[in-house]
Amino acid sequence: MSKNKLISLEAKFEFIDEGERGNKALSRLVFAGLLFFVFLTLLTLNTLTPLIGDDYVYSFIYQTDQKLLSFNDVINSQFNHYYKWGGRTVVHIIDQCLLLNYSPIIADTLNSIAFIAYIIAIYFHITARKTININLLVVIFTLVWFIQPVFAETVLWLTGSSNYLWGTLLILLFLLPYRFYKNTKQSITKTVLFSAIMLLSGVISGWTNENTAAAMIIMIIAYIYYYKTKKWDIPIWAYAGLIGSIIGYTLMIIAPGNFVRASEAPSLSAFLIIYRLLTYTQRFIVYLGLLNFALIIALILYKRFSPRNPNKDIKCIIIYFVGIFVSIYIMIASPSFPARAWFGTITFNIIAFGIVYQQLNRDEILIRRIKTCLFIFLLISFSASYYDAYKDTSWINQIWKEREAIIAEKKQAGETTVTFKEYQAKTKFGLGDTYYALPNISKYYGINFELEK
């Protein structure tokens, strides 16, 4: 590509990175249009994703044969769940509300809206102010798309998204006041009101997910320490939020169901601790090594070309890395650490990278060319990847449509059992069959549902 063509290409993409300095109206329109496009892409995949696994389990009052019929049933179900399985009450209430009198269009639309809110929350954690940066928005979305290792399990699957997408969204929203705080004064009335809101929000956010909520609590402490290093007044609401989050986290951890499951897990030995420490470090490198290599390069460019003092932003990055490492290594005490439980960890890492990336000085030719090329590369890569995702989810959707038609025929004929050939997804955007949920699938459809390999 000639130099003139490259300059021309850069000029065409100028608006994607500096909306506040360029055509604000165009930038805001494209920004909103891009969010709507992301919403449609997610809504399409959500509508193609059937109920699977735990969706059938949580369609009933937990460990009963009674299907959810009212919100009171949801509360009764979570009471059973708290004592028999685990303490993630907040996210499982969200899950069972989505499954209550299940309407695919309503549940899928709400889940897609939650994803957009999650992307916007990441965006504001990065910018910490009102700004329009289309390039950054594309980078955030595509990093989530490519780096999250089990996208379907954490974003498309209703039970998985309630636990991880919705849970992480609540945590990000709760942390935003800490990110936005600039030593501003409040009236007594506002202080009391906001402190009460933060106390309640802390309880809700702390009661979401074991490793991400633990990271959130330590990050709040890190933020308070950061305010002290800047000699800022520590607002009362910051302490109220911390207290609330500790209360919520405690309520989650002390659930009797956790101890029931823990009794079946192997005891924690020195060998097991070292093994998990090494294994989780290896997985950190596998999942996030490339992103953090890019972060190091971005930091080098930032220090070389930024006209500002970068120390302020580096301190914020450290806070998110505190969250990253706490969310990883606290899981040493857990019997398992599935790929989906990395959702919050990866989210914090994307924010850390984004803080540096959005501060790179586009007035420098090298930075401008890097950002333009990255923008184009990510859009092309996403287009190819989305085709595979759509193809996989469409195939799975067709399987379940055929199954439901056969189930209806078998029930009408008075048969009591139906057997299907097992399938498994071909990409991380699809969900395969789950044997553990067969009893609940059978209850859901009113016929004995069996699988054969």
Side-chain angles (χ1 to χ4, degrees), residues 175-413:
L175 285 174
L176 275 178
Y178 294 94
R179 178 73 171 110
F180 286 168
Y181 181 62
K182 301 297 180 186
N183 200 29
T184 52
K185 303 290 184 182
Q186 284 184 327
S187 66
I188 297 296
T189 303
K190 286 184 177 179
T191 297
V192 172
L193 178 60
F194 194 52
S195 295
I197 292 171
M198 288 298 286
L199 179 67
L200 178 59
S201 300
V203 173
I204 293 171
S205 301
W207 206 345
T208 52
N209 181 280
E210 293 83 357
N211 66 324
T212 313
M216 175 191 75
I217 292 170
I218 304 304
M219 289 171 69
I220 293 171
I221 296 171
Y223 265 117
I224 292 173
Y225 176 75
Y226 171 63
Y227 302 156
K228 286 185 176 180
T229 62
K230 294 181 71 67
K231 300 188 178 349
W232 288 356
D233 293 330
I234 311 299
I236 295 175
W237 59 258
Y239 290 114
L242 176 61
I243 292 169
S245 62
I246 293 172
I247 292 171
Y249 191 77
T250 302
L251 289 171
M252 176 173 59
I253 294 301
I254 65 172
N258 288 331
F259 298 98
V260 172
R261 287 188 294 140
S263 64
E264 300 171 358
S267 58
L268 205 59
S269 64
F271 172 80
L272 192 57
I273 291 172
I274 295 172
Y275 173 77
R276 289 176 179 174
L277 178 66
L278 295 175
T279 300
Y280 298 166
T281 302
Q282 180 190 37
R283 288 169 68 186
F284 171 68
I285 295 170
V286 171
Y287 288 154
L288 293 163
L290 190 58
L291 178 63
N292 285 315
F293 177 74
L295 174 58
I296 293 169
I297 299 299
L299 276 171
I300 293 171
L301 293 172
Y302 182 31
K303 289 200 168 204
R304 171 66 178 81
F305 295 112
S306 176
R308 301 172 46 203
N309 183 348
N311 290 335
K312 171 188 169 185
D313 295 308
I314 290 175
K315 287 180 180 179
C316 286
I317 292 168
I318 290 172
I319 292 174
Y320 288 97
F321 266 96
V322 167
I324 290 166
F325 291 125
V326 170
S327 66
I328 294 172
Y329 294 111
I330 197 171
M331 294 301 286
I332 288 175
S334 175
S336 64
F337 192 6
R340 56 181 175 267
W342 285 75
F343 189 86
T345 305
I346 292 170
T347 299
F348 292 143
N349 212 149
I350 290 172
I351 292 171
F353 171 78
I355 289 172
V356 181
Y357 181 79
Q358 66 100 20
Q359 290 289 357
L360 291 177
N361 185 10
R362 193 176 166 85
D363 290 334
E364 293 290 335
I365 294 175
L366 175 62
I367 302 298
R368 186 164 62 247
R369 289 179 177 173
I370 289 173
K371 287 193 169 187
T372 300
C373 291
L374 181 62
F375 179 82
I376 297 170
F377 172 75
L378 289 175
L379 286 182
I380 294 172
S381 300
F382 167 73
S383 299
S385 177
Y386 188 78
Y387 172 75
D388 289 335
Y390 179 81
K391 187 168 62 172
D392 197 21
T393 52
S394 296
W395 172 65
I396 293 169
N397 182 265
Q398 185 59 38
I399 288 173
W400 277 94
K401 281 183 177 179
E402 292 172 359
R403 285 180 173 184
E404 289 180 339
I406 293 171
I407 287 171
E409 291 175 5
K410 295 281 189 181
K411 288 177 69 175
Q412 190 172 11

Side-chain angles (χ1 to χ4, degrees), residues 40-299:
L40 291 180
T41 60
L42 264 293
L43 181 60
T44 300
L45 296 182
N46 268 308
T47 56
L48 291 172
T49 301
L51 296 183
I52 197 76
D54 284 349
D55 293 337
Y56 293 103
V57 175
Y58 290 110
S59 292
F60 295 85
I61 296 177
Y62 193 68
Q63 291 192 3
T64 74
D65 294 333
Q66 174 63 52
K67 202 168 184 180
L68 296 174
L69 298 175
S70 67
F71 183 69
N72 189 54
D73 289 342
V74 172
I75 299 303
N76 289 335
S77 178
Q78 285 311 303
F79 184 85
N80 291 348
H81 190 269
Y82 191 80
Y83 280 90
K84 296 179 179 180
W85 185 257
R88 292 186 193 173
T89 304
V90 169
V91 292
H92 281 112
I93 285 176
I94 293 171
D95 182 33
Q96 294 204 290
C97 284
L98 292 173
L99 293 167
L100 174 64
N101 298 320
Y102 177 62
S103 168
I105 187 61
I106 294 175
D108 293 336
T109 300
L110 290 175
N111 208 43
S112 301
I113 291 172
F115 184 80
I116 295 301
Y118 163 75
I119 294 296
I120 294 172
I122 292 175
Y123 183 89
F124 283 118
H125 268 275
I126 291 170
T127 62
R129 66 184 189 277
K130 293 182 179 179
T131 185
I132 300 296
N133 191 318
I134 297 161
N135 188 305
L136 177 62
L137 185 62
V138 169
V139 168
I140 292 169
F141 169 60
T142 50
L143 285 179
V144 171
W145 178 267
F146 286 113
I147 297 179
Q148 291 293 353
V150 282
F151 192 89
E153 290 185 27
T154 51
V155 176
L156 304 177
W157 176 34
L158 282 184
T159 298
S161 69
S162 299
N163 275 267
Y164 300 101
L165 171 61
W166 289 75
T168 304
L169 171 61
L170 290 174
I171 287 170
L172 291 179
L173 293 176
F174 174 69
L175 285 174
L176 275 178
Y178 294 94
R179 178 73 171 110
F180 286 168
Y181 181 62
K182 301 297 180 186
N183 200 29
T184 52
K185 303 290 184 182
Q186 284 184 327
S187 66
I188 297 296
T189 303
K190 286 184 177 179
T191 297
V192 172
L193 178 60
F194 194 52
S195 295
I197 292 171
M198 288 298 286
L199 179 67
L200 178 59
S201 300
V203 173
I204 293 171
S205 301
W207 206 345
T208 52
N209 181 280
E210 293 83 357
N211 66 324
T212 313
M216 175 191 75
I217 292 170
I218 304 304
M219 289 171 69
I220 293 171
I221 296 171
Y223 265 117
I224 292 173
Y225 176 75
Y226 171 63
Y227 302 156
K228 286 185 176 180
T229 62
K230 294 181 71 67
K231 300 188 178 349
W232 288 356
D233 293 330
I234 311 299
I236 295 175
W237 59 258
Y239 290 114
L242 176 61
I243 292 169
S245 62
I246 293 172
I247 292 171
Y249 191 77
T250 302
L251 289 171
M252 176 173 59
I253 294 301
I254 65 172
N258 288 331
F259 298 98
V260 172
R261 287 188 294 140
S263 64
E264 300 171 358
S267 58
L268 205 59
S269 64
F271 172 80
L272 192 57
I273 291 172
I274 295 172
Y275 173 77
R276 289 176 179 174
L277 178 66
L278 295 175
T279 300
Y280 298 166
T281 302
Q282 180 190 37
R283 288 169 68 186
F284 171 68
I285 295 170
V286 171
Y287 288 154
L288 293 163
L290 190 58
L291 178 63
N292 285 315
F293 177 74
L295 174 58
I296 293 169
I297 299 299
L299 276 171

